[in-house]
């Protein structure tokens, strides 16, 4: 059985391919930017180990032997699910494998935004760090004593609750259903936005959540609040976010994901000192990849045996 690992595989991942080979699977790495190699591999591929670059109906059509699209991660909004369903191709994700990494990166973004880390780093590199002086106190603050609004109640928000408690922060959450086991208050969106010093997004991108954080939602946020997004870029109206940051209504933002990726070089977010940016790598740790490849190998074995697949979406 042949598989494509469609991402820039480093030496650690490639070393893991020997485990797949020992189980009777041939895995070829294909960098996301190498469209020619992908086109050459698709006709024989039975499994597509998918990370970020969208899988379109046209690409699926060029893979006549494809039986499984295995998402390395959780969100499947980058996969044409209708096209996969029409072909009878299974689509699976792997909830939980990246929870620790994303939760830690989310806290990192909160702290970096609160302490103006990106601006201080740039100032130090330019030889101007010690000139900041007392003016810095107007632009920084502590996580302790602040309220964090968790928009969502999935695995990452659940991991964040005890971490935030450890910092001395309070937390509230938004969810359609009540989850008393979280031990924190549930809020409607408008109340969460108005109450929170930091709003952290943790929802999948579906039609109901697209641009959830629009101009009206940002206006409801507390003056001087911070927005953090390590979920999906499409949850945020980027134009409205830039306006809120430029006006000073929002203090800062910490962003790992964007509506358009890679982020265009003319995106105004790149010009703002109050924004901390990451290139959609909150999930990317060697530990996450190890857990993810374990799930992928297990599902490939199940596929070959005709057994029920884990975490099947389609």
């Amino acid at each position: 059985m042949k598989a494509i690992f469609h991402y820039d595989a480093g030496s650690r991942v490639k070393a893991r391919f020997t485990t797949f080979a020992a189980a009777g699977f041939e895995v070829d790495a294909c960098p996301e930017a190498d469209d020619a190699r992908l086109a050459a591999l698709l006709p024989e591929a039975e499994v597509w180990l998918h990370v970020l670059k969208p899988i379109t109906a046209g690409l699926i059509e060029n893979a006549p032997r494809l039986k499984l699209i295995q998402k390395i991660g959780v969100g499947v909004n980058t996969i044409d699910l209708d096209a996969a369903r029409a072909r009878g191709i299974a689509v699976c994700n792997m909830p939980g494998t990246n929870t620790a990494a994303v939760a830690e990166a989310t806290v990192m973004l909160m702290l970096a935004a609160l302490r103006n880390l990106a601006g201080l780093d740039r100032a130090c590199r330019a030889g101007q760090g010690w000139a900041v002086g007392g003016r810095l106190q107007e632009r920084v603050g502590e996580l302790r004593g602040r309220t964090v609004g968790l928009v969502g109640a999935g695995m990452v928000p659940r991991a964040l609750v005890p971490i935030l408690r450890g910092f001395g922060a309070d937390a509230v959450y938004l969810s359609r259903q009540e989850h008393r086991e979280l031990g924190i208050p549930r809020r409607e969106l408008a109340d969460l936005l108005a109450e929170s010093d930091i709003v952290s997004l943790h929802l999948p991108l579906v039609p109901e959540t697209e641009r959830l954080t629009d101009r009206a939602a940002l206006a409801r946020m507390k003056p001087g609040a911070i927005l953090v997004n390590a979920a999906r870029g499409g949850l945020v109206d980027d134009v409205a976010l830039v306006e809120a940051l430029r006006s000073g209504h929002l203090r800062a933002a910490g962003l790992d994901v964007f509506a358009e990726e890679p982020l265009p070089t003319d995106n105004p977010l790149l010009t703002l000192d109050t924004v901390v940016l990451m290139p959609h790598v909150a999930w990317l740790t060697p530990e996450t990849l190890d857990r993810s490849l374990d799930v992928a190998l297990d599902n490939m074995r199940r596929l070959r045996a005709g057994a029920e697949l884990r975490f099947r979406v389609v």
Side-chain angles (χ1 to χ4, degrees):
M1 183 177 288
K2 292 189 176 182
I4 301 170
F5 183 83
H6 195 200
Y7 197 63
D8 299 328
S11 58
R12 184 187 182 96
V13 171
K14 290 179 179 177
R16 285 294 309 275
F17 291 167
T18 59
T19 307
F20 286 75
F25 302 112
E26 179 182 338
V27 182
D28 289 304
C30 177
E32 289 189 318
D34 195 339
D35 293 336
R37 178 166 173 76
L38 179 64
L41 292 173
L42 279 178
E44 298 299 319
E46 297 169 81
V47 177
W48 192 332
L49 304 180
H50 164 67
V51 180
L52 290 173
K53 191 166 183 178
I55 296 180
T56 64
L59 291 172
I60 290 174
E61 185 177 351
N62 292 332
R65 302 183 62 189
L66 193 62
K67 298 180 179 68
L68 168 64
I69 298 173
Q70 175 66 68
K71 168 71 178 183
I72 306 296
V74 182
V76 293
N77 58 290
T78 50
I79 302 169
D80 191 323
L81 299 180
D82 290 335
R85 190 179 289 110
R87 278 272 310 277
I89 298 168
V91 178
C92 299
N93 64 357
M94 44 183 67
T97 56
N98 63 10
T99 296
V102 175
E104 290 180 9
T106 299
V107 175
M108 179 176 67
L109 287 171
M110 292 179 188
L111 294 171
L114 273 170
R115 300 298 293 270
N116 191 28
L117 180 61
L120 291 174
D121 179 79
R122 286 189 293 268
C124 283
R125 293 175 188 276
Q128 300 171 355
W130 280 259
V132 173
R135 291 179 291 112
L136 184 63
Q137 64 185 319
E138 304 297 330
R139 305 196 300 276
V140 301
E142 298 175 357
L143 187 52
R144 176 175 294 276
R146 283 183 159 78
T147 297
V148 178
L150 302 171
V151 182
M155 291 186 174
V156 173
R158 288 167 185 267
L160 283 170
V161 171
I163 298 174
L164 293 171
R165 283 200 185 108
F167 274 96
D170 297 317
V172 296
Y173 75 99
L174 169 73
S175 177
R176 290 179 179 176
Q177 297 179 336
E178 188 169 1
H179 296 279
R180 294 184 179 179
E181 69 276 11
L182 289 176
I184 58 175
R186 180 185 176 206
R187 297 284 189 265
E188 297 298 327
L189 180 60
D191 295 330
L192 181 146
L193 294 172
E195 181 179 348
S196 301
D197 300 293
I198 300 171
V199 173
S200 188
L201 304 180
H202 303 282
L203 293 174
L205 181 60
V206 295
E208 294 77 18
T209 62
E210 188 169 8
R211 295 195 176 186
L212 178 75
T213 318
D214 57 11
R215 185 173 283 104
L218 292 169
R220 292 190 187 101
M221 288 178 64
K222 183 186 294 188
I226 290 170
L227 180 69
V228 172
N229 188 11
R232 286 293 180 265
L235 299 174
V236 179
D237 182 337
D238 282 355
V239 174
L241 176 59
V242 169
E243 291 173 359
L245 289 164
R246 283 178 171 168
S247 71
H249 176 64
L250 295 188
R251 175 194 295 219
L255 307 173
D256 178 57
V257 290
F258 308 91
E260 183 180 355
E261 297 179 356
L263 193 63
T265 56
D266 61 350
N267 190 300
L269 287 169
L270 295 170
T271 68
L272 300 177
D273 290 339
T274 53
V275 181
V276 182
L277 303 171
M278 293 172 58
H280 203 150
V281 292
W283 65 279
L284 187 57
T285 64
E287 294 87 353
T288 288
L289 284 171
D290 282 344
R291 291 187 291 266
S292 299
L293 291 174
D294 287 343
V295 175
L297 179 56
D298 184 30
N299 259 353
M300 289 169 67
R301 284 176 169 146
R302 289 167 178 258
L303 178 69
R304 184 173 58 191
E308 183 179 354
L309 299 174
R310 296 172 64 189
F311 311 121
R312 185 164 182 170
V313 177
V314 169

